[in-house]
Amino acid sequence: MKKVLILLLISTIISAQNRSTEQRVDSVLALMNLEEKVGQLVQYSSGWATGSKTDRPEESSSDLLKAGKIGSFFNIVGAETTRELQRIAVEESRLKIPVIIGLDVIHGYKSTFPVPIAEASSWNPELVKKSARWQAIESSAAGVHWTFNPMVDIARDPRWGRIVEGSGEDPYLGAAMAVARIKGYQGDDLSASNTIAACIKHFAGYGAAEAGRDYNTVDFSERTFHEFYLRPFKAAVDAGAATLMSSFNEIGGVPASGSHYLLTKVLRGMWGFDGFVVSDWNSVGELVPHGVAANLKEAAELGLEAGVDMDMEGNAYFRHMVELVNEGMVSIETIDESVRRILRIKFRLGLFDDPYKYNNVETEKKNVLSDEIIKATKDVALESMVLLKNDGLLPLKKDIRKIAVIGPLGQSKEDPLGPWNQQGQKDYVVTVVEGLQNKLGSSAEIMFAEGCKILGEDRTGFAEALETAKKADVIVLSLGESLHLSGEAQSRSTLDVPGVQEELAKELHKLGKPMVLVLMNGRPLTINWFDENVNAILECWFLGLQSGNAIADVLFGDYNPSGKLPVTFPKSLGQVPLYYNHKNTGRPLNPKVPAYTSHYNDESNDPLYPFGYGLSFTKFEYSDLKLSKSEFKKDESIKVIFTLKNTGKYAGEEVAQLYVRDLVGSVTRPVKELKDFAKIKLNPGESKMVEFSITPEKLKFFDLNMDFVVEPGDFKVFIGGNSVDVIEQSFKVVE
Ligand code: GLC
């Protein structure tokens, strides 16, 4: 009874708070004229960064603020600089409505953390939450109220440059990472001065661009949409994300930023989202080139009616919304609803109560590039690396005398920052060479030769690289992509290591010396030759400020790598899209008699490295897989118990993964689906009984009628350290 009373009291308080927010929103709305209402729907990048001059506002940003004709700016930072914008908004405008300042804090503000796909490789939501927390602490100190992150786009095509910004190919892992980031950014109190509003993006389906070409057409079934691409968004909305960004792409003929089905029916009707939607950069205006609006005015009407509340850098709302209302094309009620959503988030951020809470210069000095946050970037970097191969060369012995770092990324200060590094400070980056020098000091000679550039055909550096390598006991190949080959509008038509870097490696290989590849990249690459010929491969992605120190810790065994791949590495581009949670088809490959079954006549169906794959310096063994029982009702949870043992000689962390297969459904079902994981630390010889739970929610899927249900039938459960090497059991679900 007491529990019920407490819950009742809490819900009364919360609803009272909400009611007070809603009452406050309505009281401001009632004072606003049409121009001021439309002003709240308008956002610009400070300085009108791009776009046609004809459409840009003629007025300066301060005049727009004084006139109440703008509600948000982004790409402007600094406690003092943003204070001045806020001062004009709350002291010189008629209604003194605070402005909301956004920024792409994707993996750091000035202190750069590993890129999101690297953080996802940690399979450690707690760590990723801490990373987002630090990013919020640092950026909020610099006047940022709102980040355009987490990006939760499922991506199955490594040609797409933005695969680097997400959490890979799986909805369950993607959802876990999205929720972790939202909790890190928004904390428990969005009105605190060191929490910022999150913005889940890009809603939706953006990662399925045909041929991996950014902004390209997306077309998949409604079932695929809901089953794979929308799941992380739904989890993020349920986690309380304050805002959401509509995407550039169309889905099956309807551009997301003009889709009433997506932005209103699904997002608000089915999911109950009460925050606001901001467009992506001019994605409302791009309804015209998409061919669903004849002009910017029609685009404005379509965008708002669909459910885009704020027009980022689009001019559509700024130029035409007042006119559309006065002509009766858009109702004032629709305008009011969008304004209400935006004011609601500004109230929740506490901007009405204290508009200058993010403008404390002392806090900025203390929290930006602090020693603690820089150390935090290293903690995250250590867990973000994935050991893809090791024939025993690693960990290197500390009595090693001569190391040759060869390759264009060995001394790069910029590339480890990765794309979308915002205000990343390359002078603070620790390179591979510096990391090894920091680790070994004067006890070893660290030699470096670039050998070649990342791009281009110039081989003139090979000779010096070979001469340098000849003097060394071990060669550290520091190869991969530049940060400029990854990120937005950076799709590639090949997945090979760029330029002549592989050729350089082949020349070095002829020396017969031990070689380890330290790979820096923003996407899976077809590193088949390296897998066959070098002794060890460490996937580093782009690790941020402490890159070199983290890499050196792993190379010398001061940290035992624990990362796992959040995305499949194909053997060839011809296999793409290649992902683990695929369907079985009516003619699954029969390796013994492949004829007339699903296969290539010149390539295997198998990946180079599967989803969930990653090695350790030690070995882990899975055994004694048991279920709480073999038959369950649809509303029962299933206990899955197994033993995990460290059978090697190093302490290490293993990401144990649980997959499920629904053998027969009203529609075809994936051959495996990730439904739980846990990162477990074990000392040499130590074993632990691990328990997972398969709840009914985890077995739900969109059935033949698109209802989200559990269907009775036979299932398999798989446990392992990746999506291929597993042990299995079966169970049955009954009505
Ligand atoms: C870009 C990106 C989006 C980003 C926005 C603001 O075009 O698509 O992810 O948040 O513009 O910079």
Side-chain angles (χ1 to χ4, degrees):
M1 185 54 184
K2 188 178 170 193
K3 195 173 175 185
V4 170
L5 283 174
I6 290 169
L7 284 173
L8 199 61
L9 178 64
I10 290 169
S11 64
T12 307
I13 291 165
I14 290 173
S15 61
Q17 275 171 341
N18 284 344
R19 203 169 44 250
S20 73
T21 301
E22 292 311 303
Q23 281 170 335
R24 296 175 76 186
V25 165
D26 287 339
S27 63
V28 173
L29 192 63
L31 300 173
M32 297 170 79
N33 61 38
L34 177 58
E35 284 71 17
E36 288 160 337
K37 290 179 178 177
V38 170
Q40 289 300 304
L41 313 184
V42 169
Q43 177 191 59
Y44 279 101
S45 172
S46 74
W48 322 140
T50 64
S52 60
K53 290 292 166 241
T54 50
D55 283 341
R56 290 253 171 280
E58 293 74 20
E59 304 92 322
S60 68
S61 47
S62 52
D63 288 346
L64 289 175
L65 284 169
K66 287 174 191 165
K69 294 171 79 175
I70 190 161
S72 175
F73 281 101
F74 66 109
N75 289 337
I76 184 162
V77 293
E80 217 153 358
T81 313
T82 55
R83 167 186 279 275
E84 179 50 16
L85 272 187
Q86 195 65 281
R87 186 194 64 74
I88 298 167
V90 301
E91 296 181 21
E92 298 191 19
S93 73
R94 187 176 78 89
L95 292 177
K96 311 191 183 329
I97 296 171
V99 68
I100 182 170
I101 307 274
L103 190 71
D104 289 288
V105 183
I106 310 299
H107 53 108
Y109 162 57
K110 286 197 174 183
S111 302
T112 308
F113 284 80
V115 288
I117 197 164
E119 289 195 342
S121 303
S122 72
W123 289 57
N124 184 344
E126 250 334 281
L127 182 78
V128 170
K129 178 181 164 186
K130 277 188 196 136
S131 170
R133 186 88 288 284
W134 277 114
Q135 294 171 43
I137 287 167
E138 187 181 55
S139 58
S140 59
V144 177
H145 306 144
W146 173 32
T147 177
F148 304 131
N149 212 37
M151 185 272 217
V152 299
D153 299 306
I154 294 292
R156 295 169 162 174
D157 192 327
R159 289 172 289 186
W160 192 50
R162 303 197 77 165
I163 195 168
V164 69
E165 284 178 64
S167 298
E169 69 192 46
D170 180 69
Y172 188 88
L173 182 64
M177 292 298 145
V179 170
R181 291 190 171 110
I182 288 161
K183 290 183 173 164
Y185 289 133
Q186 299 190 167
D188 300 326
D189 175 7
L190 190 54
S191 69
S193 58
N194 66 1
T195 58
I196 56 178
C199 181
I200 31 179
K201 70 185 186 181
H202 305 81
F203 194 55
Y206 183 29
E210 282 178 0
R213 198 173 76 237
D214 208 356
Y215 315 122
N216 201 5
T217 303
V218 170
D219 201 345
F220 43 40
S221 69
E222 191 190 3
R223 176 170 288 103
T224 295
F225 199 14
H226 283 272
E227 198 66 65
F228 294 97
Y229 291 89
L230 288 181
R231 284 219 191 185
F233 283 96
K234 173 69 167 57
V237 165
D238 292 348
T243 71
L244 186 139
M245 183 183 288
S246 64
S247 61
F248 293 120
N249 57 287
E250 73 161 75
I251 303 127
V254 182
S257 295
S259 170
H260 186 270
Y261 167 75
L262 188 62
L263 300 175
T264 297
K265 186 161 181 245
V266 172
L267 183 61
R268 300 187 187 278
M270 293 163 69
W271 296 358
F273 178 64
D274 76 345
F276 72 83
V277 173
V278 63
S279 75
D280 201 338
W281 194 299
N282 189 33
S283 64
V284 169
E286 288 168 10
L287 296 175
V288 176
H290 268 298
V292 292
N295 52 52
L296 204 56
K297 184 173 177 182
E298 283 187 16
E301 180 186 359
L302 185 55
L304 191 82
E305 297 291 359
V308 176
D309 302 305
M310 185 183 280
D311 178 17
M312 173 195 280
E313 271 289 342
N315 308 315
Y317 291 12
F318 178 77
R319 289 281 172 221
H320 299 290
M321 201 51 79
V322 171
E323 191 185 343
L324 284 163
V325 175
N326 290 336
E327 291 169 1
M329 304 299 285
V330 169
S331 73
I332 190 63
E333 290 71 25
T334 307
I335 296 283
D336 285 354
E337 191 45 41
S338 289
V339 175
R340 192 173 277 118
R341 291 164 183 159
I342 293 166
L343 294 179
R344 183 179 296 142
I345 298 304
K346 291 185 175 182
F347 270 109
R348 285 180 185 166
L349 272 166
L351 290 174
F352 277 91
D353 298 323
D354 175 4
Y356 300 120
K357 68 176 15 175
Y358 291 84
N359 302 110
N360 181 317
V361 177
E362 289 317 306
T363 305
E364 184 176 36
K365 282 199 192 94
K366 176 171 159 290
N367 289 352
V368 174
L369 285 168
S370 66
D371 292 344
E372 298 89 345
I373 196 168
I374 290 173
K375 182 188 175 306
T377 66
K378 183 183 175 188
D379 295 341
V380 180
L382 286 170
E383 291 199 47
S384 299
M385 285 178 271
V386 185
L387 183 62
L388 297 176
K389 180 183 179 185
N390 184 27
D391 66 2
L393 175 65
L394 300 182
L396 298 173
K397 307 242 176 322
K398 286 189 178 161
D399 62 359
I400 204 161
R401 286 282 164 271
K402 291 178 181 292
I403 298 177
V405 177
I406 308 287
L409 287 150
Q411 276 198 329
S412 171
K413 282 276 191 190
E414 188 192 28
D415 296 304
L417 290 173
W420 284 110
N421 62 67
Q422 192 41 249
Q423 313 255 332
Q425 303 294 302
K426 65 180 185 179
D427 295 345
Y428 281 71
V429 167
V430 178
T431 67
V432 175
V433 168
E434 290 164 344
L436 292 169
Q437 287 164 341
N438 294 341
K439 170 75 55 192
L440 299 173
S442 56
S443 72
E445 185 185 357
I446 312 295
M447 300 169 284
F448 172 70
E450 187 179 44
C452 64
K453 299 297 182 192
I454 290 171
L455 290 169
E457 304 295 311
D458 180 359
R459 296 165 177 82
T460 52
F462 279 27
E464 184 212 1
L466 286 161
E467 284 314 304
T468 305
K470 280 175 189 164
K471 301 173 207 157
D473 304 320
V474 70
I475 299 168
V476 174
L477 289 169
S478 192
L479 309 175
E481 295 179 312
S482 93
L483 81 157
H484 303 296
L485 290 173
S486 230
E488 181 170 0
Q490 295 302 335
S491 297
R492 289 184 64 204
S493 66
T494 161
L495 301 176
D496 295 338
V497 176
V500 294
Q501 298 178 73
E502 184 166 320
E503 259 185 67
L504 170 64
K506 287 175 178 172
E507 290 307 309
L508 292 163
H509 184 253
K510 291 172 186 170
L511 300 175
K513 290 181 178 277
M515 288 207 299
V516 50
L517 168 62
V518 168
L519 185 65
M520 288 191 206
N521 49 309
R523 59 168 54 81
L525 296 177
T526 42
I527 51 174
N528 308 26
W529 180 85
F530 295 93
D531 180 61
E532 288 151 21
N533 293 285
V534 302
N535 305 83
I537 300 173
L538 186 61
E539 173 55 81
C540 299
W541 307 111
F542 297 112
L543 291 172
L545 293 191
Q546 286 286 304
S547 180
N549 285 336
I551 289 168
D553 275 7
V554 168
L555 292 180
F556 282 92
D558 290 331
Y559 179 77
N560 183 356
S562 60
K564 299 281 185 179
L565 292 178
V567 65
T568 300
F569 272 52
K571 283 177 179 161
S572 62
L573 179 55
Q575 296 175 303
V576 169
L578 183 68
Y579 47 93
Y580 88 94
N581 46 1
H582 60 80
K583 301 301 184 64
N584 200 37
T585 79
R587 292 197 172 185
L589 171 65
N590 174 349
K592 295 191 179 63
V593 184
Y596 298 104
T597 66
S598 186
H599 75 294
Y600 303 97
N601 54 25
D602 58 358
E603 179 60 276
S604 90
N605 290 6
D606 296 333
L608 182 61
Y609 307 114
F611 174 80
Y613 176 84
L615 301 176
S616 168
F617 293 147
T618 192
K619 296 274 181 226
F620 293 100
E621 186 183 83
Y622 291 79
S623 62
D624 304 329
L625 173 56
K626 294 188 182 65
L627 306 182
S628 43
K629 50 184 181 178
S630 59
E631 197 167 287
F632 301 85
K633 289 207 175 28
K634 284 200 308 186
D635 58 356
E636 283 185 302
S637 289
I638 299 161
K639 273 197 183 15
V640 179
I641 299 159
F642 61 95
T643 300
L644 179 67
K645 183 173 185 181
N646 179 341
T647 56
K649 54 185 177 32
Y650 288 93
E653 294 161 284
E654 170 71 339
V655 179
Q657 301 153 44
L658 177 141
Y659 298 88
V660 168
R661 179 177 184 179
D662 181 353
L663 294 174
V664 178
S666 56
V667 295
T668 57
R669 310 285 293 115
V671 295
K672 277 195 187 88
E673 293 179 279
L674 180 70
K675 291 299 178 186
D676 212 340
F677 60 87
K679 196 160 195 174
I680 298 151
K681 189 164 191 165
L682 293 174
N683 291 317
E686 184 183 4
S687 65
K688 180 176 182 182
M689 187 135 80
V690 183
E691 182 176 315
F692 283 137
S693 172
I694 303 175
T695 60
E697 195 61 25
K698 290 183 181 178
L699 295 181
K700 284 184 178 177
F701 68 100
F702 292 91
D703 70 1
L704 188 60
N705 304 314
M706 284 301 289
D707 293 325
F708 193 54
V709 297
V710 178
E711 287 184 350
D714 293 315
F715 290 78
K716 283 193 174 182
V717 58
F718 309 92
I719 296 287
N722 62 65
S723 57
V724 172
D725 308 311
V726 292
I727 54 178
E728 66 179 71
Q729 277 286 0
S730 301
F731 63 91
K732 185 186 283 293
V733 173
V734 296
E735 284 295 350

